[in-house]
Every structure is written in C-alpha cells, then in structure tokens.
C-alpha cells in the first residue's frame, strides 16, 4: 500500500510533469456517458411503478385542478391504467387524494362503481361508497421535474359494470371507446441521452446523461457530479427516510470538495441555500438536490477533485476531472522562494489541519512543508482562526521525538536590529508583516538580532487578508528555518534529521510532515503527499478513539 502511494506521488511530481493523458478530460472520466431514455417505437408493457417511461406515446389530458398537471389512460384485456402527474406533494402527503375519477355509464346506473378514490398514499383505492376496489394497485415516485410526483395506478376491468362509459377527471373526459389498448401503442425504445449542460432549476432531466453513483448510506441514495470549468455541478438524491441536510458523521450536512493536492472547500447544504461559498446555488425538489459550486471557489488541484462528507474517510465521488481544463495554467511545481507572495505553494501538496471535527464553525486550515538542502520552508493558510495570534506558538519537531522539538514565538526586528518580543500579532490591518522565529523556551535576554546568543532560527511572513470593509478573509504565512542551526542546538548532524514535522496548536493538533535532509527533495515531496493521503485514515482513527 505504502509503495503504491509512493509511486502515485512520484508520478505526480517526477520532473514536474503529470502523466494524465487526454483521457483525463474525456467525458467518461467525469461521469458523462450514454444513458437510455424513452422514444416511441413498438409494443407497450405497462409497469405500475411510478416511472412514466411507457406513457411517452399516450395522449395527455389537461387538468383544471391545481393538484394535477396532466393525466392519461390506456387499457389491456384485464386493466385500465392511469397516469397522473401531480403538482407538489411529498412522502407525507399526496394532493391527488383530494381528487377522484368519475365514471358515467351509458345506462346512467353504476351505484358504487361510479367513482375511483385514493387513500393511504395510493396504497388503497375506494369506490363511490368508500368500499375497497379489489385488485387495484398504484405507485408513485418523485418526478424529474421540479415539485411534481409521477403516479401510476391500475383498476381491474371487472370494476367497470358496463363496456360503454365516460371517465371524467380534473375537468377532462375520455370515452371508453377512445381509450387506447396497449397493443395499439408503441413501446418506448432506448435512445441515447446527450449531455447539454446543467441548469439549477429543480428539474433533473438534464442529469439523465450523467452517471449516478449509488451511495446507499443512511442519508443518501445516489449522487453524481459534472465539472465543466465554470461550475462543479453536484446531484444528490436522499433516502426515503434520510436527509442530506443532516448527513455526515456529525449530522450537520457539511460537505467538502477535496483536491488531489489536499486542498479543501467546505460548505453546508440547506434546501434553499449553500452556506460557506459565495455564488453557490442549489435547488431542491422531491428529495433531490442539484448544486452549483463556482470553479473559483475550488482550491488548487493537479488533475482531479473529490466530493464527500466533511471529515469522512470515504468520499462520495472521486476522480472528478474538469471537462474544460485550462491548459494555459502551469500546474508544475518548481521550488519555494521565501518572499511572502505564496503563489509558488499553489500546486504543492497540502494537509488539512482541522480545529472542529464537526466542521460547524467554518473552514479549517491547510499547511505544507518543503525542504531545500538544509532550509525548511513552511506554509499555512488559516480560514477559521484569523488575526488572533494563531501562529504563536508553533512547534518544529525532529524524528517524532519531543526532546528534539522547539517552540517558536514571533518577534519583530526594527531597522537597527533591535528585537521586540512583545510585538503586535493580532488585530492587524490588512497587509504583509515579517517576523523572526525565536526559541520560546530559550530564556535568552538578547536584545539585538546581531547578538551571538540571539535564539533566532528563521523568519516568517504573515499576510492578513481582509475585505474592503475590514472583515477578515484569511491569514497566510510562509517561513524558513535553518536546519543546520536547529540540528546543532539538538546536538545532531543535519543528516540525522530523518523526519521533520510542524504543529500549529492554536489551529489544530495535526502534525504536518516531510522527510528529512538525508532523503533529498523528491522523497520529501513524496512523504508530504503521503501526509495528504493519510488525512482520511487519521480521521477514521480519531473518530474511533473519541
């Protein structure tokens, strides 16, 4: 398993290339495929299952009742079949139960056989005197159209006391002699659904050409995804007794879009809006959701992204590729330059640092380490804790040994080299600030950066990102640490540093890891990548321990 992971990340970073191939952006890779729908051709076989596919060639009757959009009828030797498209309704109540079918016989008689009524969510059928109609059966299901239900039911011909009668329902009438026999009607034949884009409107027919993944957990039945370059579109269908807005291990409807670089975008699903992502859209109907996440909200990725519950070890859908990948974007990783600009970290693997396992209070942080010779570089993007001294203290640990760990405080140095150990670190204005990394436990009284005993091991840039109104958006840091000086402090040779880790205790307890100086840059990258893959395993372990 570990060897497979190493090979995977070697493939990503070997010579800065990704061996993706053209197949990555093929339709099959994103789940767009050929799906059969109905088109008229030859010999109807009616199944009373709530799926209206066999009604494609049957004349629809209009309705004057607001509970019903349209209806139709056909027959065979044994049954008269009805199709009704209902407006509104849900699994707890069907408006159709407030309607009934009238039957007028040529003789003007008929008694109790002059009405068909509906009861108990289409499980029971009653006559005009509210007696049971023996042999009648029905079924309903959510429609692919917004706020509608598809209903089918069958009534035995033995219920109709005469051959000549007129059916009247919701303002429209059909003579028995005009009811088509299934033998006269064309059987729908398979045809290929063509993907033509997704519209967030609560009508789900545009998802017919997108492969659905069966989930079958306690909340969700199936899901699907399409990433078209502008939006990531997500489809979610709930279980009959489940709720997507209360899904996940914390039952709060929190979801995450993870990238293959360990980056994440978290949101909370509601029936009428998406919390956590500006510009996101959602439409809900009949236990189904369609969601649009702006591509601009999705963090950096190399090839693919994944969709799943927040902090869950298993994703709902993985390997989602962009149909319209911008080939002009250079996604190669080269090296890190300590300059407070951060863009060189964009396509380097990161690890989630979580503060709230429920994800109920916003996005968490992501971090990475990079090694170049004996200089360690670190990067953290914090989106939950901002402008509140969250990076002090932080710890660098060597070889997973607490005896070779150093806690740092941030100190400011003026133009004359004078050290301010009580410098301002919170409630800063938007901008970029530079600090030095001071050994918190040194006890040193050094006052100037040039003092030989000044316990300074590196530098850090801190950027405070805010809106024009002064609202915090994120805090971002990058730093460099002199590992030779650190090794000397611990009585080690720099080559003895096999594993280097960082922890930001005010942001989360996770250790971010990279292989040490003796392994070289490539293996360091691999281990950093393994840390990304290990996040899912860590979540599973943590949940079991708690």
């Amino acid at each position: 398993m570990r060897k497979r992971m190493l090979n995977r990340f070697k493939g990503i970073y070997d010579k800065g290339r990704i061996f993706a191939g053209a197949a990555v952006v093929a339709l099959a890779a994103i789940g767009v495929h050929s799906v059969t729908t109905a088109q008229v051709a030859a010999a109807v076989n009616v199944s009373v299952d709530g799926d209206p596919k066999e009604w494609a060639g049957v004349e629809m009757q209009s309705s004057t009742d607001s509970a019903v959009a349209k209806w139709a009828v056909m027959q065979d030797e044994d049954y008269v079949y009805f199709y009704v498209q209902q407006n509104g309704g849900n699994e707890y109540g069907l408006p159709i139960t407030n309607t009934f079918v009238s039957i007028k016989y040529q003789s003007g008689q008929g008694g109790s056989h002059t009405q068909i009524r509906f009861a108990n969510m289409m499980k029971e059928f009653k006559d005009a005197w509210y007696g049971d109609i023996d042999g009648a059966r029905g079924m309903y299901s959510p429609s692919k159209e917004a706020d509608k239900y598809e209903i089918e039911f069958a009534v035995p011909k033995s219920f109709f006391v005469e051959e000549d009668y007129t059916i009247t329902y919701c303002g429209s009438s059909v003579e028995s002699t005009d009811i088509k026999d299934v033998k006269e009607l064309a059987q729908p034949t398979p045809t290929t659904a063509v993907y033509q884009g997704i519209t967030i409107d609560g009508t789900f027919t545009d998802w017919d050409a997108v492969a659905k993944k069966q989930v079958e957990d306690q909340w969700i039945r199936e899901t699907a995804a399409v990433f078209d370059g502008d939006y990531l579109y997500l489809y979610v269908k709930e279980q009959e007794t489940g709720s997507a807005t209360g899904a996940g291990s914390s039952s709060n409807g929190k979801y995450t879009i993870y990238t293959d670089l360990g980056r994440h975008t978290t949101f909370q699903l509601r029936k009428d809006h998406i919390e956590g992502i500006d510009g996101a859209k959602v439409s809900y109907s009949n236990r189904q959701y369609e969601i649009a996440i702006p591509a601009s909200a999705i963090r950096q990725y190399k090839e693919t992204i994944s969709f799943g519950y927040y902090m869950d070890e298993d994703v709902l859908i993985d390997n989602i590729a962009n149909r319209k990948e911008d080939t002009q974007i250079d996604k190669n990783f080269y090296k890190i330059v300590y300059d407070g600009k951060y863009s060189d970290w964009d396509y380097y693997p990161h690890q989630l640092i979580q503060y709230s396992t429920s994800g109920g209070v916003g996005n968490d942080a992501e971090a990475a380490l990079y090694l170049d010779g004996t200089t360690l570089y670190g990067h953290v993007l914090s989106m939950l804790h901002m402008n509140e001294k969250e990076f002090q203290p932080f710890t660098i640990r060597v070889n997973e040994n607490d005896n070779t760990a150093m806690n740092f405080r941030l100190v400011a140095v003026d133009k004359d080299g004078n050290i301010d150990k009580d410098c301002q670190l919170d409630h800063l204005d938007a901008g970029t600030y530079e600090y030095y990394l001071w050994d918190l436990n040194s006890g040193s009284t050094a006052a100037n950066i040039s003092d030989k005993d000044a316990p300074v091991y590196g530098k850090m840039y801190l950027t405070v990102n805010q809106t024009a109104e002064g609202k915090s958006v994120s805090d971002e840091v990058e730093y460099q640490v002199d590992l030779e000086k650190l090794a000397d402090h611990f009585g080690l040779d720099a080559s003895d540093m096999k594993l280097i880790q960082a922890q930001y205790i005010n942001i989360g307890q996770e250790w971010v890891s990279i292989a040490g100086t003796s392994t070289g840059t490539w293996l360091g990258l691999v281990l950093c990548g393994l840390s990304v893959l290990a996040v899912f395993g860590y979540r599973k372990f943590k949940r079991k321990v708690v």
Side-chain angles (χ1 to χ4, degrees), residues 398-399 487 491-499 516-518:
V398 177
N399 299 337
L492 301 173
D493 188 274
S495 62
D496 295 329
M497 295 178 164
K498 307 301 183 184
L499 180 68
T517 57
S518 62

Side-chain angles (χ1 to χ4, degrees), residues 162-442:
E162 298 178 16
E163 290 188 0
D164 294 326
Y165 55 87
T166 301
I167 292 173
T168 300
Y169 184 57
C170 295
S172 295
S173 299
V174 178
E175 302 285 341
S176 59
T177 53
D178 293 330
I179 300 175
K180 297 294 185 182
D181 192 287
V182 294
K183 296 176 182 177
E184 303 175 43
L185 297 169
Q187 172 72 33
T189 56
T191 186
T192 301
V194 179
Y195 179 74
Q196 296 180 333
I198 303 296
T199 302
I200 305 300
D201 57 4
T203 295
F204 302 95
T205 52
D206 44 4
W207 288 94
D208 285 349
V210 183
K212 309 295 191 304
K213 180 180 178 182
Q214 300 302 307
V215 178
E216 299 297 350
D217 61 20
Q218 67 190 85
W219 306 288
I220 292 176
R221 177 178 295 181
E222 62 183 13
T223 186
V226 176
F227 189 11
D228 72 357
D230 297 318
Y231 286 91
L232 170 65
Y233 294 99
L234 300 168
Y235 168 82
V236 174
K237 185 174 184 179
E238 295 174 322
Q239 296 284 8
E240 288 297 323
T241 57
S243 171
T245 58
S249 58
S250 297
S251 302
N252 59 4
K254 272 276 191 172
Y255 298 84
T256 297
I257 301 162
Y258 274 101
T259 80
D260 53 7
L261 292 174
R263 307 294 188 116
H264 66 286
T265 302
T266 302
F267 66 90
Q268 193 162 22
L269 178 62
R270 295 290 180 254
K271 288 185 177 179
D272 58 355
H273 69 284
I274 299 292
E275 293 183 12
I277 300 179
D278 292 338
K281 296 179 284 187
V282 64
S283 185
Y284 170 82
S285 178
N286 301 331
R287 306 203 73 86
Q288 300 169 94
Y289 299 79
E290 53 183 356
I291 302 162
I293 304 296
S296 59
I298 298 173
R299 305 286 295 150
Q300 294 89 343
Y301 63 94
K302 281 279 190 177
E303 300 175 38
T304 60
I305 60 179
S306 302
F307 166 63
Y309 301 127
Y310 180 77
M311 293 302 294
D312 200 319
E313 69 271 16
D314 296 319
V315 297
L316 296 173
I317 307 178
D318 58 6
N319 297 320
I320 306 168
N322 190 342
R323 294 187 67 207
K324 299 177 183 177
E325 187 67 65
D326 186 350
T327 57
Q328 301 303 311
I329 298 177
D330 184 0
K331 293 189 174 183
N332 292 320
F333 173 76
Y334 298 101
K335 64 179 297 184
I336 298 300
V337 177
Y338 173 75
D339 56 8
K341 295 182 179 178
Y342 312 110
S343 61
D344 41 2
W345 292 96
D346 281 354
Y347 296 100
Y348 184 82
H350 281 62
Q351 178 181 329
L352 173 68
I353 301 178
Q354 60 82 26
Y355 183 83
S356 168
T357 53
S358 69
V361 290
N363 277 313
D364 286 310
E366 53 193 37
L369 295 175
Y370 172 74
L371 191 63
D372 187 357
T374 57
T375 300
L376 175 70
Y377 297 90
H379 176 245
V380 186
L381 176 64
S382 179
M383 296 163 281
L384 175 58
H385 298 277
M386 296 173 286
N387 220 344
E388 54 184 49
K389 295 185 179 180
E390 67 270 24
F391 299 111
Q392 177 176 288
F394 81 94
T395 304
I396 297 294
R397 185 173 69 176
V398 177
N399 299 337
E400 295 186 285
N401 186 343
D402 290 340
N403 293 320
T404 52
M406 182 175 290
N407 299 313
F408 291 109
R409 73 182 300 170
L410 309 185
V411 301
V413 177
D414 66 17
K415 60 183 178 58
D416 297 320
N418 296 314
I419 297 171
D420 180 3
K421 290 189 284 187
D422 297 314
C423 57
Q424 183 177 353
L425 297 173
D426 59 353
H427 301 99
L428 297 167
D429 293 332
T432 298
Y433 306 81
E434 187 173 31
Y435 301 93
Y436 285 71
L437 304 181
W438 176 284
D439 179 3
L440 182 63
N441 303 113
S442 67

Side-chain angles (χ1 to χ4, degrees), residues 112-123:
S112 64
H113 293 249
T114 56
Q115 289 181 358
I116 302 171
R117 292 181 173 272
F118 319 106
N120 193 17
M121 299 294 288
M122 300 303 293
K123 296 177 182 177

Side-chain angles (χ1 to χ4, degrees), residues 107-160:
S107 67
Q109 305 300 313
S112 64
H113 293 249
T114 56
Q115 289 181 358
I116 302 171
R117 292 181 173 272
F118 319 106
N120 193 17
M121 299 294 288
M122 300 303 293
K123 296 177 182 177
E124 298 178 19
F125 295 84
K126 305 294 184 178
D127 60 26
W129 298 348
Y130 223 73
D132 290 332
I133 301 178
D134 293 334
R137 65 186 192 277
M139 186 66 69
Y140 64 91
S141 65
S143 176
K144 292 180 180 178
E145 297 183 38
D147 300 319
K148 298 183 186 298
Y149 263 71
E150 311 290 6
I151 299 171
E152 292 181 294
F153 60 95
V155 178
K157 277 195 167 180
S158 58
F159 176 76
F160 299 88

